Amino acid sequence: DIAQVTPTVDSSHRAIILRALKERRNLEIEYHSLIRDRITTRAITPLELGEDRGVEVLLAYCNSAKGFRTFRLDNVKKAELLDSSEVISNSKKDSEELFRAKCRVDARLRTTFERFRLETDLATAATLSSRKGITVEVTSFSQDWLVRNFMSTLANAEITEPAELAKAVGVKAQATLELYKNPHFSS
């Protein structure tokens, strides 16, 4: 049997978001970031509701991040209308906000491309799957997101540049290994 799971969205949060969109007002939200596994408070200018891979999302300009972000509605823990309807301006260019990395993908090409949301067509995927060591560039608004995604590739992708990102992944991997040495986790 196949089980299907649908994230639960608080209907009161959706109603407040819809009102903010209709009245062109800003919001303050408490948001659970899956990337950092933290709940943060953010002032945002909501732009539109949408869907990403079957999950309801809010496209907005985030004052905290000083950039456009996509927020999963099921991760919004609190939503309040703000008095301000002034659009929060973007002082940086989008290209300045992105973290870039080059990596060589040795195996599991399809899942690695999906993980980093790299676009490819079926013909290209077939060509890529017949070769080893494909070099690609990945981008993200968050270095933490890149570190977590490289950790989850199960060593099928190797960061070729920047060296600082490769080092950050190494530090995170070492910290994870150290957890296994903790007497509370050993049997």
Side-chain angles (χ1 to χ4, degrees), residues 138-155:
V138 297
T139 58
S140 174
F141 64 89
S142 166
Q143 184 170 334
D144 290 338
W145 183 86
L146 286 173
V147 167
R148 283 184 178 214
N149 274 293
F150 278 113
M151 291 279 297
S152 65
T153 64
L154 306 174

Side-chain angles (χ1 to χ4, degrees), residues 48-59 70-71 73 117:
E48 70 177 297
L49 282 176
E51 188 176 305
D52 183 19
R53 299 176 191 222
V55 176
E56 275 188 289
V57 294
L58 172 63
L59 306 172
T70 303
F71 298 98
L73 261 56
R117 296 184 177 209

Side-chain angles (χ1 to χ4, degrees), residues 37-142:
D37 194 24
R38 265 189 275 165
I39 295 176
T40 57
T41 302
R42 300 164 181 249
I44 63 170
T45 300
L47 302 172
E48 70 177 297
L49 282 176
E51 188 176 305
D52 183 19
R53 299 176 191 222
V55 176
E56 275 188 289
V57 294
L58 172 63
L59 306 172
Y61 181 83
C62 179
N63 192 40
S64 304
K66 302 282 189 248
F68 295 96
R69 297 292 183 261
T70 303
F71 298 98
R72 289 177 54 136
L73 261 56
D74 58 321
N75 289 341
V76 174
K77 302 302 175 194
K78 181 179 169 187
E80 288 183 19
L81 286 168
L82 295 177
D83 291 332
S84 171
S85 61
E86 183 177 315
V87 175
I88 303 168
S89 65
N90 183 1
S91 60
K92 293 182 178 181
K93 294 178 184 161
D94 288 339
S95 62
E96 293 176 315
E97 296 177 10
L98 291 178
F99 290 92
R100 299 181 186 282
K102 288 188 180 175
C103 66
R104 190 179 76 240
V105 181
D106 293 322
R108 300 181 64 206
L109 294 170
R110 182 184 58 80
T111 56
T112 302
F113 271 57
E114 287 175 1
R115 180 176 318 286
F116 289 104
R117 296 184 177 209
L118 298 171
E119 295 294 326
T120 186
D121 58 42
L122 294 176
T124 305
T127 303
L128 293 176
S129 65
S130 65
R131 299 175 13 202
K132 296 280 184 179
I134 305 301
T135 299
V136 295
E137 182 177 83
V138 297
T139 58
S140 174
F141 64 89
S142 166

